[in-house]
Amino acid sequence: MARTYDNSARAQAAQRTRAGIVATAQELLLDGGYAAMTVASLAAAAGVSPQTVYNSVGGKAAVVKAVYDQMMAGDDAEDAMSGRPEFRALFEVADRPAFAHAYAGWVRLLSGRVGPLLGALLAYGTDATLADLVATIEQERYVGTTHAITGLRDRIGLPDQHAGEQGLTRLIDAVWTLNSPDCYDRLVRRRGWSPEEYEAWLAGQLVALLG
């Protein structure tokens, strides 16, 4: 009988290597910003070769995206945000105002996780690679906002003014604008609001918007 090859140990080692690279990249990005981190400097700090960085994660843009994804999720699991229990719990509410407050708390949590990273990145928005990365992140956030609003529509319903395809799209656009990490950065980091004050402000805006 032919023996089967168990490569689980190799896969676990590869995952540990990748996790170490991403964790080191997060430290470098938060400490020195986007421009200061190169694949070479990351490899040196992580104690691996540049080729290992490319093989495990990818180039600089892929590394930054991996850091962003992990900070956003709060872990390195590959579960989609819309499939996580914390997101599904948003819809276990009685009405739209309750959803607005729950969603504001969710946005505050995510913005608090990734806000420091985005602050380190936004200063280099003219970098072409970074601009593409930011565009990808923005599109992902729009998809997440769409899941939230369509979930609200399907479970609780929306005001009449947001009925129809155009009304729904305009509502998603508005919520996507309100939940921007840039709003969080402006109010919390630049203007000194507490995260609690930001959450209360966002909840109020959403209550007014959702009716």
Side-chain angles (χ1 to χ4, degrees), residues 107-174:
V107 173
R108 169 195 165 186
L109 174 66
L110 299 187
S111 296
R113 287 174 179 171
V114 300
L117 175 63
L118 292 179
L121 298 181
L122 291 176
Y124 299 93
T126 56
D127 181 280
T129 301
L130 182 56
D132 289 342
L133 175 64
V134 170
T136 297
I137 291 171
E138 288 289 270
Q139 178 58 30
E140 290 179 349
R141 188 167 59 81
Y142 192 87
V143 170
T145 303
T146 300
H147 286 157
I149 297 305
T150 55
L152 173 64
R153 176 199 63 191
D154 295 343
R155 293 167 176 81
I156 298 175
L158 295 174
D160 291 341
Q161 66 265 33
H162 300 308
E165 182 175 349
Q166 184 176 25
L168 177 64
T169 299
R170 291 292 180 265
L171 176 60
I172 293 169
D173 291 348

Side-chain angles (χ1 to χ4, degrees), residues 3-205:
R3 293 188 300 174
T4 59
Y5 178 67
D6 182 5
N7 66 350
S8 59
R10 178 176 294 181
Q12 291 172 2
Q15 179 58 33
R16 287 194 297 271
T17 298
R18 187 183 192 281
I21 292 170
V22 173
T24 301
Q26 178 176 325
E27 293 177 3
L28 293 177
L29 287 168
L30 294 180
D31 288 345
Y34 177 79
M37 192 200 76
T38 64
V39 170
S41 67
L42 171 58
V48 299
S49 69
Q51 191 59 50
T52 297
V53 174
Y54 285 111
N55 292 344
S56 297
V57 187
K60 184 173 180 176
V63 169
V64 176
K65 183 61 165 59
V67 172
Y68 171 86
D69 288 344
Q70 184 162 310
M71 291 180 71
M72 173 70 79
D75 55 47
D76 59 0
E78 297 183 358
D79 301 336
M81 297 299 290
S82 60
R84 290 173 176 249
E86 313 94 277
F87 183 83
R88 295 198 301 269
L90 295 176
F91 308 104
E92 298 173 1
V93 295
D95 51 32
R96 289 192 296 270
F99 173 86
H101 284 274
Y103 186 71
W106 166 257
V107 173
R108 169 195 165 186
L109 174 66
L110 299 187
S111 296
R113 287 174 179 171
V114 300
L117 175 63
L118 292 179
L121 298 181
L122 291 176
Y124 299 93
T126 56
D127 181 280
T129 301
L130 182 56
D132 289 342
L133 175 64
V134 170
T136 297
I137 291 171
E138 288 289 270
Q139 178 58 30
E140 290 179 349
R141 188 167 59 81
Y142 192 87
V143 170
T145 303
T146 300
H147 286 157
I149 297 305
T150 55
L152 173 64
R153 176 199 63 191
D154 295 343
R155 293 167 176 81
I156 298 175
L158 295 174
D160 291 341
Q161 66 265 33
H162 300 308
E165 182 175 349
Q166 184 176 25
L168 177 64
T169 299
R170 291 292 180 265
L171 176 60
I172 293 169
D173 291 348
V175 175
W176 177 72
T177 300
L178 285 172
N179 70 27
S180 168
D182 185 56
C183 286
Y184 181 91
D185 183 72
R186 285 174 181 272
L187 295 176
V188 175
R189 185 179 67 84
R190 302 189 210 180
R191 298 303 307 161
W193 288 28
S194 71
E196 293 79 9
E197 288 175 316
Y198 163 82
E199 181 180 339
W201 169 83
L202 179 58
Q205 300 302 311

